[in-house]
Amino acid sequence: MRLFVRIVERRSFSQAALDLNLPASTATEGVKQLEARLGVRLLQRTTRHVSPTLDGEAFYRRCLTILAELEDAEAEFSDAKPRGLLRVDVHGTLARHFLLPGLPAFLARYPDIRLHLGEGDRLVDLVREGVDCVLRVGDLKDSAMIARRVGLLDEVTCAAPAYLEKHGVPTTPEALGAGGHVMIGFVSSATGEHFPLEFTVGGALKFMTLPTVLSVTGAETNIVAAREGLGIIQIPRYHAKADLEAGRLVELLPDYPPSPTPVSLLYPQARQIPLRVRVFMEWLTGEFARVR
């Protein structure tokens, strides 16, 4: 059943076999035996594609329920330990700052877990791509996935000393518009438009969009452009910490901070959460609370 479920989700015998650490021939033979036992065809196979038949789709959903109950039963009546391949998709900067420093201790505590970290910010089809969970920053759109918040990132407004020498140091958000200031336009991958600047004024959020001479889509390019004096940016404080301490960037308007940005872990709604994902979630929440 586990093999069949993985083949349906990965749409591939070879990828499912790799995930479960099995020979590809074992995956093929296992499905043949399962189909012979049930007396129905479960999968449609072509040279490039594997998909469930109507019977296969129905059996797949029953398998999900049965396997989830089996895992719960084993965990309740035995000293179950998390094991297997854990696939996580995450922003690279988040991984390097929040995950990697504590990862040796996590893997030492759970030696039977093998971790695969994928980097990116695109919308991932978790089931089809065999990903267990996705770590994402910002407000989330409605989706079929369940989201669990694991942390909040403090944001900071900053610019380079060279920029401030040219444009002056603003003392209020209103001074930005009146003083001819510019921002580096960070483009949303979801809308294709610039994220506005945010400021907390009198307990409420105020949004401002300044003129831009440069638009970017990458977080690293955004901060490097700011170092070069090309405009004002707002980024997570952890990402600006080294530049602020070294004087390459200067914090602006600290009395009018942007709102903190949520960080969430997303996982498929239709599945029981595997034990390896549950322990990863608990560990990750602790890492965001510990590492600032």
Side-chain angles (χ1 to χ4, degrees):
M1 283 187 179
R2 288 191 176 102
L3 173 61
F4 171 71
V5 163
R6 204 61 173 173
I7 292 170
V8 171
E9 292 176 345
R10 296 288 266 157
R11 296 296 198 262
S12 166
F13 281 83
S14 60
Q15 289 296 325
L18 186 64
D19 289 351
L20 298 177
N21 200 25
L22 296 171
S25 58
T26 300
T28 302
E29 184 60 29
V31 171
K32 285 182 180 178
Q33 292 180 9
L34 185 59
E35 289 179 328
R37 177 183 177 87
L38 297 174
V40 296
R41 189 172 183 82
L42 297 173
L43 298 172
Q44 299 281 2
R45 308 165 180 84
T46 68
T47 55
R48 294 187 177 182
H49 189 65
V50 178
S51 61
T53 62
L54 290 177
D55 287 330
E57 184 67 32
F59 188 64
Y60 164 76
R61 301 206 173 278
R62 293 294 298 273
C63 286
L64 287 179
T65 301
I66 292 169
L67 291 172
E69 292 178 353
L70 177 60
E71 185 170 321
D72 282 349
E74 288 178 342
E76 184 175 350
F77 291 102
S78 67
D79 185 19
K81 296 181 180 179
R83 64 180 65 247
L85 179 63
L86 174 61
R87 291 179 176 269
V88 181
D89 197 79
V90 59
H91 282 291
T93 52
L94 284 180
R96 288 186 283 274
H97 189 81
F98 290 100
L99 273 69
L100 294 181
L103 203 54
F106 173 80
L107 294 175
R109 183 177 181 183
Y110 303 110
D112 294 326
I113 289 180
R114 293 177 295 125
L115 184 61
H116 174 87
L117 287 181
E119 291 189 18
D121 60 0
R122 65 184 178 85
L123 185 62
V124 175
D125 186 333
L126 274 71
V127 173
R128 182 67 58 85
E129 299 181 38
V131 177
D132 291 294
C133 52
V134 174
L135 192 66
R136 286 292 177 262
V137 175
D139 295 322
L140 304 170
K141 292 184 176 181
D142 293 337
S143 74
M145 293 186 286
I146 297 175
R148 172 173 171 176
R149 181 172 294 183
V150 295
L152 286 171
L153 300 178
D154 292 334
E155 297 277 330
V156 60
T157 307
C158 51
Y163 172 89
L164 297 175
E165 288 177 9
K166 181 178 180 180
H167 295 274
V169 179
T171 56
T172 66
E174 290 73 17
L176 291 173
H181 287 275
V182 298
M183 70 179 193
I184 297 171
F186 193 70
V187 179
S188 166
S189 59
T191 67
E193 298 181 354
H194 294 158
F195 286 105
L197 300 178
E198 290 185 9
F199 301 98
T200 303
V201 180
L205 274 181
K206 179 182 179 66
F207 298 92
M208 296 183 66
T209 301
L210 300 178
T212 62
V213 295
L214 174 67
S215 298
V216 301
T217 60
E220 294 301 323
T221 303
N222 191 36
I223 196 168
V224 172
R227 290 184 201 131
E228 297 299 327
L230 292 171
I232 294 171
I233 61 171
Q234 287 184 332
I235 58 174
R237 183 175 291 277
Y238 82 88
H239 201 185
K241 183 178 179 182
D243 286 303
L244 292 171
E245 291 176 348
R248 293 185 293 267
L249 292 176
V250 177
E251 182 174 1
L252 304 178
L253 304 171
D255 295 331
Y256 306 93
S259 62
T261 299
V263 183
S264 304
L265 200 67
L266 290 79
Y267 54 91
Q269 192 169 23
R271 284 186 188 168
Q272 179 79 6
I273 308 175
L275 184 57
R276 63 182 180 276
V277 178
R278 293 205 298 267
V279 298
F280 180 75
M281 274 197 262
E282 295 302 325
W283 171 77
L284 192 59
T285 302
E287 289 299 290
F288 271 92
R290 183 178 66 84
V291 182
R292 304 298 295 176

